[in-house]
């Protein structure tokens, strides 16, 4: 993995206590896949069973049904976009932004343990933008994982399809809830094969952000952060920075930046002064390159833009006609995230430039369940 990527790995079938509860999101950091979109390379073959399950359906067909269980869940059609594409991609190759699925005799070099049946692993940027998701199914023996495709009670088998539905839920950002009326419950259940209301509510919380979401603001200094709870430029359809303004020197802006929007009313006879700097603490990875854009009120036109090298603040001072404008804070880097300080000052010359070393909010994070 590269320095801007962390990875989180998760297990499928830990024993958990049954009880009432609600969905749980991964939150360290919160992570989100742009548009809820995964196209997963799928050419699944078990080392002893081959490409088809004992009862007949191919693993590929069962996995495609698991993807559609989320696509077709009530209310999720516009929020997630899951599909399979023919071809083999090693599910332990986590550094190429290609999503894969497969059976493996160990979990990417680590022996399978306990009652784990499968693990979903994701790579994400420091701001929580998921760049890759992989699913590894256990295949060390048919005693430990007796795979078949089974509807209803599983009997002596482990149902590949419902475990796939569970792992795909992890790729979307869900953790194990305390309540058992969910496909994301940590233990496979005979009576739950597709996403339940609790699972659907969790995915809706992650992906239905009501973008754009401008924050009413005046002349002030604000502390906020960029992370996966924010809309992406691609969610909003925001013009790419540098299309006009002062960012044309940047040759390769990346899409999929998290964005905060601030709505500002500019009185007559004043300039709009904006300064953005990182306040994130961390190890110094270039996870956030402060970039500010100023737009007209309906976000259709960029009126100004500034970015800076990773060691500085971004600032703008624009002479504009009186009216309402939107200030966007973002990073040059796709998925870059950090805490920041934004100063908005509709008075001439009042914005003091404050420079601070760029610091990283997140390095790499690894955990396994
Ligand atoms: Zn799980």
């Amino acid at each position: 993995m590269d320095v801007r990527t962390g990875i989180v790995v998760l297990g499928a079938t830990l024993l958990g206590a049954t009880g009432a509860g609600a969905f749980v999101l991964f939150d360290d950091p919160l992570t989100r896949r742009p548009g809820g979109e995964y196209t997963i390379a799928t050419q699944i073959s078990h080392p002893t069973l081959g490409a088809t399950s004992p009862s007949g359906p191919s693993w590929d067909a069962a996995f495609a049904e698991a993807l559609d269980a989320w696509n077709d869940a009530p209310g999720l059609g516009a929020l997630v976009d899951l599909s399979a594409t023919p071809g083999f991609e090693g599910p332990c190759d986590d550094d190429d932004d290609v999503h894969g699925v497969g059976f493996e005799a160990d979990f990417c070099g680590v022996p399978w343990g306990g009652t784990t049946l499968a693990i979903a692993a994701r790579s994400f940027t420091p701001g929580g933008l998921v760049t890759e998701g992989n699913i590894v199914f256990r295949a060390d023996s048919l005693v430990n994982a007796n795979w078949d495709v089974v509807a209803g009670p599983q009997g002596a088998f482990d149902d590949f399809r419902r475990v796939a539905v569970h792992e795909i839920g992890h790729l979307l950002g869900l953790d194990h809830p305390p309540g058992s009326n969910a496909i994301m419950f940590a233990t496979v259940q005979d009576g739950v094969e597709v996403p339940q209301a609790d699972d659907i509510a969790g995915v809706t919380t992650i992906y239905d952000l009501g973008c754009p979401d401008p924050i009413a603001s005046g002349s002030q200094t604000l502390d906020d952060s960029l992370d996966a709870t924010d809309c992406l430029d691609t969610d909003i359809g925001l013009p790419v920075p540098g299309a006009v303004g002062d960012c044309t020197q940047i040759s390769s802006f990346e899409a999929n930046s998290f964005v905060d929007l601030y709505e500002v009313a500019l009185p007559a006879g004043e300039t709009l002064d904006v300064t953005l700097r990182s306040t994130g603490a961390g190890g110094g990875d270039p996870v956030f390159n402060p970039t500010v854009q100023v737009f007209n009120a309906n976000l259709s036109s960029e009126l100004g833009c500034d970015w800076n090298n990773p060691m500085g603040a971004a600032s703008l001072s624009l002479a504009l006609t009186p009216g309402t404008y939107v200030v966007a804070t973002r990073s040059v880097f796709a998925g870059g995230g950090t805490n920041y300080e934004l100063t908005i000052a509709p008075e001439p010359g009042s914005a003091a430039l404050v420079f601070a070393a760029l610091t990283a909010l997140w390095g790499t994070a690894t955990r396994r369940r």
Side-chain angles (χ1 to χ4, degrees):
M1 80 188 70
D2 66 42
V3 296
R4 288 170 52 202
T5 301
I7 186 166
V8 59
V9 296
L10 306 137
T13 56
L14 307 182
L15 295 176
T18 300
F23 62 82
V24 176
L25 312 181
F26 293 133
D27 60 357
D28 55 343
L30 193 74
T31 54
R32 189 154 66 89
R33 175 75 187 155
E37 187 275 338
Y38 283 99
T39 301
I40 301 177
T42 305
Q43 185 178 308
I44 305 169
S45 182
H46 188 280
T48 55
L49 299 171
T52 57
S53 65
S55 59
S58 70
W59 308 115
D60 285 358
F63 190 78
E65 289 175 357
L67 293 168
D68 279 340
W70 288 101
N71 289 326
D72 298 340
L76 296 190
L79 298 179
V80 303
D81 180 12
L82 304 169
S83 62
T85 185
F88 180 75
E89 164 68 15
C92 293
D93 177 355
D94 63 2
D95 200 23
D96 60 359
D97 293 0
V98 180
H99 321 300
V101 54
F103 289 105
E104 294 288 338
D106 56 39
F107 173 63
C108 308
V110 179
W112 292 105
T115 58
T116 298
L117 286 172
I119 289 180
R122 301 176 306 155
S123 300
F124 51 84
T125 70
L129 182 79
V130 176
T131 55
E132 183 175 344
N134 297 301
I135 298 174
V136 190
F137 288 90
R138 183 173 194 163
D140 55 342
S141 79
L142 290 176
V143 174
N144 292 327
N146 192 17
W147 294 111
D148 199 354
V149 177
V150 186
Q154 299 176 97
F157 294 99
D158 296 303
D159 175 32
F160 174 86
R161 184 170 48 207
R162 79 189 70 181
V163 173
V165 173
H166 175 104
E167 298 304 323
I168 293 162
H170 283 319
L171 294 192
L172 289 170
L174 296 177
D175 204 340
H176 297 145
S180 60
N181 189 22
I183 194 68
M184 295 313 297
F185 190 58
T187 304
V188 179
Q189 304 175 87
D190 276 350
V192 180
E193 300 182 41
V194 298
Q196 306 295 298
D198 182 66
D199 306 302
I200 292 166
V203 170
T204 301
T205 296
I206 298 172
Y207 291 96
D208 188 2
L209 297 178
C211 300
D213 186 21
I215 302 162
S217 181
S219 176
Q220 58 186 295
T221 296
L222 302 147
D223 291 311
D224 207 325
S225 62
L226 287 174
D227 57 41
T229 63
D230 293 317
C231 302
L232 290 160
D233 54 350
T234 44
D235 294 331
I236 302 168
L238 209 60
V240 174
V244 297
D246 297 323
C247 291
T248 50
Q249 71 270 36
I250 304 170
S251 59
S252 58
F253 260 122
E254 299 180 62
N256 291 323
S257 291
F258 294 113
V259 175
D260 280 331
L261 301 175
Y262 297 90
E263 202 168 61
V264 182
L266 186 68
E270 298 184 346
T271 60
L272 178 60
D273 294 338
V274 180
T275 301
L276 173 69
R277 67 181 183 90
S278 169
T279 57
D285 286 344
V287 299
F288 180 76
N289 185 314
T291 302
V292 288
Q293 292 171 277
V294 173
F295 295 94
N296 62 345
N298 69 6
L299 298 170
S300 64
S301 176
E302 186 196 65
L303 306 173
C305 175
D306 188 53
W307 74 302
N308 214 305
N309 292 310
M311 299 302 288
S315 63
L316 278 176
S317 181
L318 298 177
L320 300 168
T321 57
T324 300
Y325 298 93
V326 177
V327 175
T329 63
R330 60 190 293 161
S331 172
V332 164
F333 304 117
T338 189
N339 297 323
Y340 65 78
E341 181 184 276
L342 174 68
T343 299
I344 300 172
E347 290 106 16
S350 66
L353 288 178
V354 180
F355 291 92
L358 178 87
T359 51
L361 182 59
W362 298 99
T364 57
T366 300
R367 67 175 183 177
R368 180 180 178 182
R369 294 189 174 179

